[in-house]
Amino acid sequence: MPFLFRTSTRFIIVDEKPRQGVFYQIYDKEGFLRPALIHPSSALTYSATLDHHDNLHVVVQNTNHQTAYYHSFETSPTKRTVLEDTKNMYQFENMSIQILVETPHLFYTVIHPNGNGRSLVHQSLNAASPMATHLITNLPLNCQLSYYVVEDTLYILYPLYEEGYTLNCLTFTENAYDSRTLVRSDIPISDWNMCLHGQKLYVLFTTDTYGHPAFHLLDTLTLKDLALPLPVTATSPSLLSYLDCLWIHYKDGDKLYTLFGLPEQEMFSIPVISSLQLPATLYNYYSLDHKSFNASKVYANLMSTLRLATLSSIDIKEIHPDLSPNLELSLLLEGLSLVSRSPVPSRTSTPIATPMPTPPPLSTIPPIPTAPTPPMPMPSSSPLSPTPPTAVPTVRSVAQAAKDFMQEGNFFEP
């Protein structure tokens, strides 16, 4: 999967073209710059990240199972071989390079000598002779790992299949690491990704029962699991946090769909067709800026311009360097925020808080001249008798009138 990075002024794309190699390309307010080659031939896998100075770091495993580390592209590009497995004994997979503080770290999985499982291995790329540390030793033979960094803390999602199915999270810093189980299930768990929303981490994952998937959103703090209203035909769902909402994108056939949710209120919209349509590619995403929006994977269209799904239509945070902020939308959202924070007036309160003038004393108000009123005729029975009620015709009185009419010998001539 290609990588998409965002700095304060531009995007950086790292991708691969068959038979041409791995390259990076910059997109700024002027558009796309000319691609620059990183690795000049096909690769088995690659990974990339940015450091705290927005410098690019890349690892590439070539077809000879050699892994090289590339960095310092904008000054003097540097290459160094960090792993070599020409006989493919270890079968490196799930390779990822991450920057924690100022140190580049490499993570990958290796197969056990008996071929029955895998281990997750870590090594620092700063050390001259890096030590390989086994972080997890009981991974399944075929497994998918996800990596997500927030403020120099790395979160790694991984599955275990020992007693049922579990989804677990390894928290890794430069000084320590720890692991805990997030989800336990009797059916397979797959296709997960993580996103920071507010002060919480959420995980979107899929459970699959004989080809009938169900989609879930997990609060990693409370471990509360919410069902998501995605159709069974949805594929490759991703999470994105923007404007205090969680946005979920997924593909269904040849269309890209979007829905948003308020997980704290357990509310989700119905899915709608996204304004950004195919070709929309899913990218691994990373940025040091967690204020504009957050995601570990994003859908983007990189045809003539770079446009992110949903964000390009409602961009009020200058995410796209070549787009002007949507000021009208920003004003609308600010107005709605003010309305939501305003107290609701009670039914007994005065609608407009305007002081009313004090009325004069009754003795000073002159009487209103009126025309003389003729006396009303009163019933003869009593001056205090109420006015008799007006007779209201009913169905019964009409029927009685028809009967009387017929009893008097009335009939219609033929």
Side-chain angles (χ1 to χ4, degrees), residues 7 10-11 48-49 60 64 84 95 99 110 129 139 204 209 216 255 266 269 279 296 334 345 413:
T7 71
R10 61 185 184 176
F11 285 97
T49 191
V60 179
N64 294 324
E84 192 162 1
M95 192 168 293
I99 304 292
V110 296
S129 300
L139 290 173
L204 191 160
T209 307
H216 306 260
K255 289 184 169 55
E266 300 183 17
S269 74
S296 59
E334 182 65 24
E413 294 290 341

Side-chain angles (χ1 to χ4, degrees), residues 317-329:
K317 296 182 178 292
E318 301 183 80
I319 296 169
H320 298 77
D322 58 329
L323 283 181
S324 299
N326 194 331
L327 299 180
E328 292 88 347
L329 177 60

Side-chain angles (χ1 to χ4, degrees), residues 114-376:
N114 58 13
N116 294 330
R118 286 186 168 273
S119 293
L120 174 63
V121 180
H122 157 260
Q123 68 182 62
S124 170
L125 295 179
N126 266 358
S129 300
M131 294 292 294
T133 304
H134 288 243
L135 303 178
I136 305 169
T137 59
N138 56 342
L139 290 173
L141 186 60
N142 299 310
C143 64
Q144 166 198 352
L145 273 62
S146 296
Y147 301 86
Y148 187 49
V149 175
V150 180
E151 295 180 354
D152 293 318
T153 299
L154 173 63
Y155 301 92
I156 305 175
L157 296 178
Y158 65 95
L160 291 179
Y161 303 148
E162 292 179 341
E163 296 180 2
Y165 300 90
T166 62
L167 181 62
N168 310 273
C169 182
L170 176 75
T171 304
F172 184 94
T173 65
E174 283 215 305
N175 301 319
Y177 64 92
D178 189 23
S179 182
R180 68 177 181 132
T181 299
L182 300 179
V183 181
R184 296 183 183 274
S185 174
D186 294 328
I187 57 179
I189 304 171
S190 62
D191 203 14
W192 48 77
N193 65 92
M194 182 178 282
C195 179
L196 176 67
H197 177 63
Q199 300 299 317
K200 294 183 179 181
L201 287 170
Y202 286 88
V203 175
L204 191 160
F205 67 94
T206 306
T207 55
D208 196 312
T209 307
Y210 305 114
H212 298 279
F215 302 91
H216 306 260
L217 182 67
L218 179 74
D219 180 340
T220 61
L221 183 63
T222 63
L223 299 185
K224 189 167 188 178
D225 183 351
L226 300 177
L228 293 175
L230 273 64
V232 295
T233 51
T235 59
S236 302
S238 66
L239 279 178
L240 185 150
S241 176
Y242 180 62
L243 296 180
D244 298 326
C245 295
L246 265 181
W247 301 81
I248 301 171
H249 300 92
Y250 65 89
K251 286 184 178 180
D252 191 346
D254 60 348
K255 289 184 169 55
L256 183 67
Y257 286 80
T258 305
L259 71 150
F260 82 93
L262 303 173
E264 296 85 357
Q265 288 76 33
E266 300 183 17
M267 299 172 60
F268 299 91
S269 74
I270 60 172
V272 298
I273 295 178
S274 175
S275 57
L276 179 76
Q277 279 306 309
L278 304 180
T281 303
L282 189 60
Y283 289 82
N284 289 305
Y285 173 79
Y286 176 73
S287 176
L288 292 172
D289 175 20
H290 294 285
K291 295 181 180 179
S292 298
F293 75 97
N294 287 295
S296 59
K297 297 180 181 180
V298 293
Y299 278 97
N301 186 307
L302 274 66
M303 296 299 290
S304 57
T305 58
L306 190 154
R307 295 292 181 262
L308 302 180
T310 297
L311 301 183
S312 59
S313 301
I314 53 175
D315 189 351
I316 64 174
K317 296 182 178 292
E318 301 183 80
I319 296 169
H320 298 77
D322 58 329
L323 283 181
S324 299
N326 194 331
L327 299 180
E328 292 88 347
L329 177 60
S330 181
L331 286 174
L332 173 62
L333 295 176
E334 182 65 24
L336 294 175
S337 177
L338 291 174
V339 170
S340 66
R341 295 197 299 265
S342 300
V344 179
S346 63
R347 293 181 179 272
T348 58
S349 62
T350 305
I352 302 176
T354 303
M356 300 298 291
T358 304
L362 292 178
S363 58
T364 63
I365 302 177
I368 301 175
T370 58
T373 304
M376 295 293 293

